[in-house]
Amino acid sequence: MKYTRETAKSHAFAHMRGIWAAALMPFREDLSIDEDGFRRNMDHWIEDLGIDGFFIAGKQGEFFSMSLDERKRSFDLAVEAAGGRAQTIMSCSDQNMDVVIDLAKHAQACGADYIVVHAPILHFFKEQDETLLRYYETIASKVDIGIALWSHPDSGYLMSPQLCNRLADIETVVAIKYSVPREMYAELTRLAGDRIIVSTASEEEWLDNILELDWRLYLCSSPPYLIQTKNDRRMRQYTDLAFAGKAAEARAIRDSLDPVRHALKSTRPAEKPHSHQKYWQDLLGQTGGRVRPPCLELTEDEKRATRAAFEACGLKL
């Protein structure tokens, strides 16, 4: 690693910044991992789009359909493909603690920069905060790599800002992907912004969070490579303008992306986010590929509607 457990927080505050994207994993027609397609995507995302870091094998990456060996292989692929040009954060989320720790050890050994661990589904709600505190303390005791927390409604609950403030005291907890209402992540930023990097996946809220909460990390979802092209890097542009304090210019460019956002959202079937985003990747010239069961593929009618919206949204190809 590039840091010790004692310097995990200071290293993250110095280096964990910019635009990070959650990588979709392309699968071939036979549903095997398309390693070459993944490498091509990473090269494009880094060299052409200027993305700073990648969230690997998360829900966007369909980790739930992968074997343990495939998840480890995806870590290796990402580190290799990044090649020191971008940072990586590996999703080690699982309901089984041994699997989480096994993946965390592999991420540390293969050269990943950080790991992220989703708050687990709890089968009881007694002493919930103490259970979650022990959960993350146990993981942190087994590896030295920096850990990002992740709280999302999919767990069946949200971790409170007060609990996250306590978790921020763990030596190797460095960040949180906090998929919660804005008042909650703003509160956590006030409580613990000196000990944990707070971020959320909403691209629509990213600019306001830079300007109003002084955030420097977008962590992260797929917009960085779905609403940008080599010739149209408006998310990168408005981000850099906001970092430079040029709020009015940043807002004008951010707002110009509204037709692209609408095209993506209005054509995405609620139950088919993965296949819809992968088809959008195909339209962009990236490698999208198949989804694995239990994810559902788009119908031909859904593809036609998506293609029409894509062609009219104003992205420069």
Side-chain angles (χ1 to χ4, degrees):
M1 294 195 309
K2 301 170 185 173
Y3 53 87
T4 64
R5 67 179 295 116
E6 292 80 13
T7 60
K9 284 187 191 289
S10 60
H11 180 89
F13 272 87
H15 299 282
M16 199 177 191
R17 53 183 56 227
I19 297 172
W20 291 44
L24 290 155
M25 180 58 72
F27 298 113
R28 302 180 190 275
E29 284 301 312
D30 65 1
L31 299 184
S32 61
I33 294 175
D34 187 344
E35 295 192 2
D36 290 339
F38 181 77
R39 292 187 186 95
R40 287 193 299 271
N41 284 346
M42 287 280 286
D43 280 339
H44 168 60
W45 297 341
I46 296 168
E47 297 297 331
D48 297 333
L49 305 185
I51 298 173
D52 300 296
F54 297 94
F55 187 118
I56 302 299
K59 286 185 285 189
Q60 297 279 16
E62 298 175 64
F63 83 90
F64 44 80
S65 71
M66 293 187 199
S67 68
L68 182 57
D69 285 343
E70 286 177 321
R71 294 177 71 180
K72 291 179 179 179
R73 178 58 183 155
S74 70
F75 293 3
D76 297 339
L77 277 172
V79 171
E80 173 194 324
R85 299 171 296 168
Q87 297 178 73
T88 56
I89 183 167
M90 309 306 189
S91 175
C92 300
S93 303
D94 201 89
Q95 281 302 106
N96 184 293
M97 177 70 84
D98 289 340
V99 171
V100 173
I101 293 169
D102 188 14
L103 287 167
K105 288 179 177 178
H106 187 84
Q108 180 170 305
C110 78
D113 292 285
Y114 310 98
I115 62 169
V116 60
V117 183
H118 198 293
I121 296 171
L122 298 177
H123 300 285
F124 46 85
F125 283 94
K126 304 295 184 183
E127 299 293 341
Q128 180 177 331
D129 283 8
E130 297 307 314
T131 300
L132 291 166
L133 187 64
R134 185 180 183 191
Y135 179 77
Y136 283 108
E137 285 176 339
T138 301
I139 297 166
S141 73
K142 301 297 183 180
V143 289
D144 297 329
I145 194 168
I147 300 168
L149 315 174
W150 186 9
S151 184
H152 188 284
D154 284 359
S155 296
Y157 60 91
L158 296 175
M159 297 196 298
S160 70
Q162 292 71 30
L163 170 61
C164 295
N165 183 40
R166 295 176 66 191
L167 292 168
D169 287 333
I170 297 173
E171 186 175 32
T172 53
V173 166
V174 301
I176 182 169
K177 182 177 178 180
Y178 207 22
S179 303
V180 298
R182 194 168 195 268
E183 60 269 19
M184 290 180 67
Y185 65 66
E187 175 65 13
L188 180 58
T189 302
R190 287 190 290 270
L191 287 172
D194 60 333
R195 287 169 291 126
I196 188 171
I197 302 167
V198 184
S199 189
T200 196
S202 172
E203 183 271 329
E204 292 94 333
E205 298 169 68
W206 170 226
L207 178 59
D208 289 338
N209 291 334
I210 297 172
L211 298 175
E212 298 172 16
L213 300 178
D214 197 30
W215 282 11
R216 290 296 181 267
L217 174 66
Y218 175 76
L219 185 75
C220 54
S221 191
S222 53
Y225 56 84
L226 295 182
I227 67 172
Q228 297 195 106
T229 71
K230 181 178 181 178
N231 298 312
D232 192 345
R233 297 178 18 152
R234 278 178 277 174
M235 184 179 179
R236 179 80 264 174
Q237 289 168 358
Y238 83 67
T239 296
D240 291 342
L241 286 167
F243 285 170
K246 299 178 180 179
E249 294 174 61
R251 287 191 191 282
I253 294 175
R254 189 272 309 272
D255 293 348
S256 75
L257 280 166
D258 282 345
V260 184
R261 297 185 188 98
H262 177 73
L264 260 175
K265 288 190 172 183
S266 65
T267 58
R268 182 183 299 165
E271 73 282 11
K272 299 180 181 180
H274 295 85
S275 56
H276 181 268
Q277 291 175 110
K278 287 185 173 185
Y279 183 62
W280 192 275
Q281 281 187 288
D282 290 335
L283 295 172
L284 285 166
Q286 300 175 27
T287 302
R290 295 282 307 278
V291 294
R292 281 183 173 177
C295 294
L296 303 174
E297 295 283 3
L298 295 184
T299 65
E300 289 304 314
D301 285 345
E302 288 165 342
K303 288 181 179 180
R304 275 192 292 271
T306 300
R307 186 167 58 251
F310 174 84
E311 291 171 351
C313 74
L315 267 180
K316 301 179 185 70
L317 300 179

